[in-house]
Amino acid sequence: MPSLPRPLTLPPDTSGRRALRRRRRGETVTAWAFVSPAVLVILGLSVLPVVWSLLLSFQANDLVTPSRWVGLDNYRALSQDPHFSQAVRNTLLYTVLYVPLSIGIGLALALALNRRIRFVGLYRTLFFVPFVISATAQGVLFSFILDPDFGAANSVLHHLGISPQGFLTDSSQALFVLVAITLWSGTGLCTVIYLAALQDVDQSLIEAARLDGAGRRHLLRHVTLPALSPVSVFLLLWQTIQSLQVFDLVYVTTKGGPLGSTTVIVYFIWEQAFKNFTAGYGAAAAYVLALALFVVAAVLRVVRGRERTLRTKAAA
Amino acid sequence: MTATTTAPGTTARRASEPAAVRHRRFRLPFSAWHVLLAPLAVLFAVPLLWLLLSSVMSNAEINRFPPALWPSGIDLGGYRYVLGNAMFPRWLMNSAIVSAVAVASNLVFGALGGYAFARMRFRGSRVLLVLMLATMAVPFQLTMIPTFLVMKKLGLIDTLGALIVPSLVTPFAVFLLRQFFLSLPRELEEAAWIDGCSRLRVLWAIVLPLARPALATVAVLTFLTTWNDLTWPLIAINHDTQYTLQLGLTTFQGQHHTRWSAVMAGNVITVLPVLLAFLVAQKAFIRSVTSSGLKG
């Protein structure tokens, strides 16, 4: 057996190591140069404001004169403010209506469009286009269409022999009309995301289930829908966050009215901070909203995690 | 799973034949699906069609009750009124400037930051990354009041600067590009780097050309959000010379809603850039929406 080669030891090459260190130091400088604009803007305009907002919520502030510390007064006032509780109710009703409807219709459309039918591209475009239109443009367009006096909607109803409606000017209808407008513009998002997810559903799984004699309904319930569940959870989270934060459309169409029937939380915050100049109060309301959003995200995260462990258990 | 083990290739093929036949039937132009989908598609298209039609109607036609549902001729009075308006072209310009700067700077700073987080080691990078990731979960409403105060301290309120600074770079741009850079094989860059190329050169000459789909995604989404934003301009801008189109449109509607054809013409002009961008880059749009949703 030949002897093993002796380890070859070289004297440490100090010049190389120094060059390496210099290079590494240069690398750190470059790295910081690369990230600093992003870090400055993003952290400067989020971490700092998050803390500032918390401090503001304990203060009375009118955006101009120095603020005064009031402790928990803002939060106490919020809990007794009928306008705030109405805003919370409106936002919840809006969310409870919009989120399941948009996801349900979106899923139905995606399942229908996931077949080899003609004009699939055209359908997909038509359903998705409203999504790219700004809430402002939507608001202006629909306040025109739904104008009680000049609007095309009442004109069509007139032709059908139905009495004219108040739509956005009717406090018993306005919130539902807003949900309908958002469904028009937001369902396409769910459809597109579901369509993308349907492309990823394992075809061999479907084939296998079909061979086992599964009907279309079984296939949907036991193969397709479970495969879509991560996307569904994502959409649930996304749409809920979006609808808890709705503002632009309300501002353009109803300004919270009539009779506060469409005052949502973000509208309330904006009104307090930038119209009534009670910024501390607005900040407190914003913190309540942020907390609600955090809870939604956390709950869904737990649900998702439990689902995942269940699935891995089932697989094992 | 059990089916694939019991059924060898040939039976599987034979069993899947009816499925193929079924597909062929669905390809018929007037299958049952169209009966379901077509009316819904019309319902989705009608408001947009009405936007276009009403923008070319004469005022007399629009203000009649019941209003005409189809224009008797094309009347461009609304467009002439809007573009001859002292402010409207200016708002269009402001929106264009803010969106163009936002797109360009998100690409530049997003790529630089994303590349550093993906490929370079430096002290604190972990913590920074996690912090920035966390900011994506912060709702805008929470930061808008202090951001207003920051912009006021900087003397930017009522200038386009107040609109530009917060949209210079978003965590979304940094993260999306970082994820994309991580997916590229390191070897491509390492050779160039060892040959003495600077990091910036490697990024510019090797990484960015490969990252075109990710860059398109960032560009598309940045344009969409900055062009369409109303909330922040509403807070940061008071003077009408600094309005963006969206903000201008809301006040325009208030002042001129007896000239609905003009309001709708303004609305068409507001919608058109996004709509054109969408129709041209439909694939990039859809990809950006799905990737930001599913993987982002």
Side-chain angles (χ1 to χ4, degrees):
Chain A
M1 201 169 148
S3 65
L4 287 166
R6 274 192 296 138
L8 192 69
T9 48
L10 282 176
D13 182 0
T14 46
S15 68
R17 195 177 287 172
R18 207 175 302 145
L20 194 73
R21 203 178 302 148
R22 203 180 309 131
R23 177 143 212 185
R24 204 166 274 164
R25 205 176 305 139
E27 173 96 342
T28 306
V29 172
T30 324
W32 275 103
F34 279 20
V35 295
S36 53
V39 166
L40 263 178
V41 173
I42 293 170
L43 297 190
L45 290 177
S46 60
V47 175
L48 175 71
V50 164
V51 179
W52 195 339
S53 221
L54 186 64
L55 294 178
L56 268 176
S57 74
F58 299 126
Q59 295 169 349
N61 183 308
D62 60 359
L63 296 173
V64 185
T65 50
S67 46
R68 187 167 47 83
W69 194 264
V70 294
L72 285 170
D73 279 6
N74 284 328
Y75 290 96
R76 221 169 282 135
L78 266 184
S79 68
Q80 288 154 8
D81 187 340
H83 294 293
F84 183 66
S85 56
Q86 188 183 18
V88 171
R89 271 201 308 276
N90 287 338
T91 310
L92 287 180
L93 179 60
Y94 176 90
T95 306
V96 162
L97 286 174
Y98 171 65
V99 175
L101 279 174
S102 67
I103 294 179
I105 301 172
L107 176 62
L109 284 177
L111 288 171
L113 289 176
N114 194 39
R115 292 158 193 282
R116 289 190 221 169
I117 53 172
R118 272 196 187 189
F119 313 124
V120 159
L122 182 67
Y123 283 130
R124 197 172 65 172
T125 305
L126 280 176
F127 293 135
F128 189 68
V129 153
F131 178 74
V132 303
I133 292 173
S134 68
T136 315
Q138 288 170 35
V140 172
L141 173 60
F142 278 98
S143 39
F144 173 50
I145 291 178
L146 301 173
D147 188 293
D149 300 323
F150 302 106
N154 267 339
S155 174
V156 170
L157 291 183
H158 180 80
H159 283 299
L160 296 174
I162 300 170
S163 59
Q165 301 293 311
F167 298 117
L168 292 163
T169 58
D170 183 336
S171 60
S172 64
Q173 290 178 8
L175 194 72
F176 300 102
V177 173
L178 286 181
V179 170
I181 297 173
T182 335
L183 279 176
W184 175 72
S185 63
T187 303
L189 174 79
C190 301
T191 307
V192 158
I193 288 184
Y194 269 129
L195 268 173
L198 279 169
Q199 309 296 314
D200 292 341
V201 174
D202 194 351
Q203 284 305 311
S204 63
L205 216 61
I206 291 180
E207 283 298 310
R210 223 179 241 154
L211 286 177
D212 280 346
R216 197 175 292 165
R217 193 170 301 163
H218 273 95
L219 220 59
L220 182 66
R221 220 188 121 184
H222 297 290
V223 181
T224 312
L225 287 187
L228 291 178
S229 79
V231 173
S232 302
V233 172
F234 163 76
L235 278 176
L236 193 63
L237 181 63
W238 183 259
Q239 296 290 77
T240 305
I241 288 175
Q242 293 301 311
S243 48
L244 290 179
Q245 291 183 277
V246 66
F247 171 76
D248 288 4
L249 188 66
V250 173
Y251 177 81
V252 177
T253 52
T254 61
K255 295 236 171 15
L259 299 172
S261 62
T262 59
T263 302
V264 287
I265 297 176
V266 178
Y267 191 85
F268 179 87
I269 297 170
W270 173 81
E271 212 172 27
Q272 294 307 326
F274 298 104
K275 221 171 135 197
N276 304 345
F277 300 107
T278 47
Y281 195 50
Y287 249 94
V288 172
L289 172 67
L291 209 67
L293 291 171
F294 181 76
V295 168
V296 169
V299 165
L300 276 172
R301 185 146 212 164
V302 169
V303 169
R304 210 172 178 180
R306 192 173 300 158
E307 222 169 60
R308 200 171 296 147
T309 46
L310 275 179
R311 216 173 309 137
T312 44
K313 253 183 216 157
Chain B
M1 244 192 339
T2 47
T4 43
T5 48
T6 51
T10 45
T11 32
R13 210 170 298 139
R14 210 177 304 140
S16 66
E17 259 168 25
V21 172
R22 220 175 296 148
H23 275 311
R24 212 167 299 142
R25 205 191 316 143
F26 283 127
R27 225 178 289 170
L28 284 173
F30 291 105
S31 71
W33 290 106
H34 292 291
V35 179
L36 210 86
L37 286 167
L40 213 58
V42 169
L43 200 68
F44 269 74
V46 156
L48 284 179
L49 188 68
W50 184 242
L51 169 64
L52 206 62
L53 290 179
S54 56
S55 75
V56 297
M57 274 188 191
S58 69
N59 253 326
E61 259 174 329
I62 269 191
N63 289 337
R64 211 163 65 202
F65 188 86
L69 293 178
W70 197 266
S72 55
I74 291 181
D75 181 310
L76 294 178
Y79 288 90
R80 232 173 287 130
Y81 181 83
V82 164
L83 292 173
N85 187 293
M87 282 302 158
F88 208 87
R90 196 168 177 150
W91 300 338
L92 184 62
M93 194 58 147
N94 289 341
S95 276
I97 292 171
V98 171
S99 308
V101 173
V103 169
S105 70
N106 265 283
L107 289 179
V108 172
F109 297 137
L112 287 174
Y115 183 74
F117 280 123
R119 284 290 194 263
M120 298 161 88
R121 296 165 144 262
F122 57 100
R123 196 168 291 182
S125 68
R126 265 272 148 95
V127 180
L128 271 186
L129 195 67
V130 170
L131 254 179
M132 284 173 69
L133 191 68
T135 67
M136 291 219 265
V138 176
F140 172 67
Q141 292 78 32
L142 195 58
T143 58
M144 70 186 184
I145 301 169
T147 304
F148 172 84
L149 294 169
V150 170
M151 290 298 140
K152 206 170 143 195
K153 285 243 156 79
L154 295 174
L156 290 175
I157 287 301
D158 235 355
T159 69
L160 291 189
L163 303 183
I164 288 170
V165 170
S167 56
L168 277 176
V169 55
T170 53
F172 166 77
V174 177
F175 281 108
L176 190 102
L177 291 169
R178 172 183 174 263
Q179 292 312 106
F180 193 85
F181 296 154
L182 283 177
S183 73
L184 294 175
R186 248 166 210 276
E187 290 76 23
L188 288 172
E189 301 148 55
E190 259 161 15
W193 190 40
I194 287 162
D195 280 351
C197 267
S198 71
R199 282 292 199 177
L200 200 60
R201 211 184 144 71
V202 172
L203 177 63
W204 177 254
I206 297 170
V207 178
L208 287 188
L210 291 170
R212 245 177 240 150
L215 293 172
T217 299
V218 169
V220 154
L221 235 55
T222 307
F223 174 66
L224 188 68
T225 47
T226 44
W227 184 273
N228 281 353
D229 189 23
L230 173 70
T231 315
W232 180 238
L234 180 69
I235 292 167
I237 303 293
N238 297 313
H239 204 259
D240 61 358
T241 55
Q242 307 298 308
Y243 280 3
T244 59
L245 260 188
Q246 312 291 342
L247 188 52
L249 197 62
T250 61
T251 57
F252 196 69
Q253 179 205 12
Q255 290 160 13
H256 300 274
H257 74 306
T258 44
R259 281 195 85 112
W260 274 115
S261 65
V263 175
M264 286 304 122
N267 212 353
V268 169
I269 295 170
T270 308
V271 165
L272 212 55
V274 175
L275 211 57
L276 283 181
F278 173 70
L279 292 177
V280 169
Q282 197 166 8
K283 265 201 186 134
F285 253 93
I286 303 264
R287 197 194 316 113
S288 69
V289 165
T290 46
S291 70
S292 65
L294 300 177
K295 287 149 204 148

